[in-house]
Amino acid sequence: MTRRAMKLALTAGAAVWAVSIPALANDWEGLSLGVGGGYGMADSRVHDSVSAFGTTLSETSDGVPASGGFFTLSAGYDHALLGTLVVGGFVDYDFADLGSKSAYELGNQLSVGGRLGYLVAPTTLFFSTFGYAHAESADISSFGFSDLHSSTGSFDGYFVGGGVETLIGGGFSVKAEYRYTSLQSEGVTTGFDPIGSLTTTLRPQIQTARLSLNYRFGNGKHEPVDNSIPPVTSSWTAPYMGVGAGAGTADTK
């Protein structure tokens, strides 16, 4: 009975400690606007198929690379929850041109999603992101020939990512994020009546690293905030084991 009571007391104490950590809710709560940029790399599957005189010739290339920089604008709204948790939603628009040497070029991208964050310190938020992605049409070259040039329809897909945001004062924050975006296949078919037709499809997967400067409007409250960092209750000095996964891209000749 005593052991059970001790477990309940420890559990309740841990919950109270987690909620009581100061979270700078005045700054993390509310609307934010951001401007920034980054670098993206696409790893795409390109499939070409030509049909003529009853014969079909096709070619599939996996891991066709493209890369380039982009400029981004963002708007979001966050809500401080349970002291150390922050949840929110956001919209990003990337002015991008991710180009390949001869195969394709990807256009601008819209991302609409949410994020879940944890305050490791009152001014520092670690977060994960997820949501819907929409990319504008891509220019592709069939069979790698620039004179066989056409434009696909727009792409839809999803993204996941994670990063860190830290307050630097005056309502401003700096945010760094990694994001993986997977888009569905889109293609274009060109007819050569009465000979045949040429079809090219593209399925992009994009990895981006982005950095932005944001202005956080806060929730309009002006209560004094405790900026003290909670004490460390465990040691980093010890053996450990882990398991994980990731994604990579290759640019191969």
Side-chain angles (χ1 to χ4, degrees), residues 120-187:
V120 296
T123 58
T124 303
L125 179 75
F126 282 9
F127 63 87
S128 60
T129 57
F130 54 90
Y132 163 78
H134 175 86
E136 294 182 3
S137 61
D139 293 329
I140 54 178
S141 301
S142 301
F143 290 96
F145 294 103
S146 58
D147 52 342
L148 297 178
H149 195 266
S150 54
S151 180
T152 69
S154 58
F155 299 85
D156 294 299
Y158 69 90
F159 70 87
V160 293
V164 58
E165 182 174 358
T166 184
L167 301 175
I168 58 176
F172 288 95
S173 69
V174 175
K175 179 171 62 175
E177 181 185 351
Y178 163 82
R179 191 176 296 177
Y180 168 80
T181 302
S182 178
L183 301 173
Q184 66 183 17
S185 297
E186 291 291 343

Side-chain angles (χ1 to χ4, degrees), residues 1-252:
M1 189 67 169
T2 304
R3 186 173 299 176
R4 183 179 179 184
M6 290 179 61
K7 289 182 179 179
L8 290 175
L10 289 173
T11 303
V16 171
W17 177 82
V19 175
S20 63
I21 296 175
L24 280 182
N26 295 345
D27 294 319
W28 291 106
E29 184 102 12
L31 178 68
S32 65
L33 298 176
V35 59
Y39 190 80
M41 297 181 295
D43 187 6
S44 304
R45 169 178 289 185
V46 179
H47 178 78
D48 297 304
S49 177
V50 59
S51 298
F53 305 107
T55 301
T56 299
L57 175 65
S58 63
E59 178 185 67
T60 300
S61 300
D62 288 316
V64 181
S67 60
F70 60 89
F71 171 76
T72 185
L73 297 175
S74 63
Y77 186 90
D78 290 315
H79 175 64
L81 182 67
L82 297 179
T84 56
L85 297 180
V86 175
V87 296
F90 64 91
V91 178
D92 287 347
Y93 192 82
D94 299 339
F95 298 88
D97 184 10
L98 306 185
S100 176
K101 291 182 179 179
S102 60
Y104 63 93
E105 291 182 356
L106 290 171
N108 300 339
Q109 183 175 311
L110 171 70
S111 302
V112 181
R115 75 172 183 169
L116 175 64
Y118 181 80
L119 288 163
V120 296
T123 58
T124 303
L125 179 75
F126 282 9
F127 63 87
S128 60
T129 57
F130 54 90
Y132 163 78
H134 175 86
E136 294 182 3
S137 61
D139 293 329
I140 54 178
S141 301
S142 301
F143 290 96
F145 294 103
S146 58
D147 52 342
L148 297 178
H149 195 266
S150 54
S151 180
T152 69
S154 58
F155 299 85
D156 294 299
Y158 69 90
F159 70 87
V160 293
V164 58
E165 182 174 358
T166 184
L167 301 175
I168 58 176
F172 288 95
S173 69
V174 175
K175 179 171 62 175
E177 181 185 351
Y178 163 82
R179 191 176 296 177
Y180 168 80
T181 302
S182 178
L183 301 173
Q184 66 183 17
S185 297
E186 291 291 343
V188 59
T189 299
T190 304
F192 301 99
D193 294 334
I195 301 174
S197 63
L198 173 65
T199 301
T200 301
T201 60
L202 177 68
R203 183 182 180 184
Q205 299 181 64
I206 308 170
Q207 300 183 70
T208 57
R210 57 188 65 221
L211 183 68
S212 64
L213 176 66
N214 311 279
Y215 182 77
R216 309 190 65 86
F217 292 89
N219 62 4
K221 298 180 181 180
H222 301 285
E223 295 92 342
V225 179
D226 182 5
N227 287 323
S228 62
I229 298 175
V232 177
T233 58
S234 60
S235 173
W236 286 94
T237 305
Y240 70 92
M241 299 180 65
V243 61
T249 181
D251 187 357
T252 306

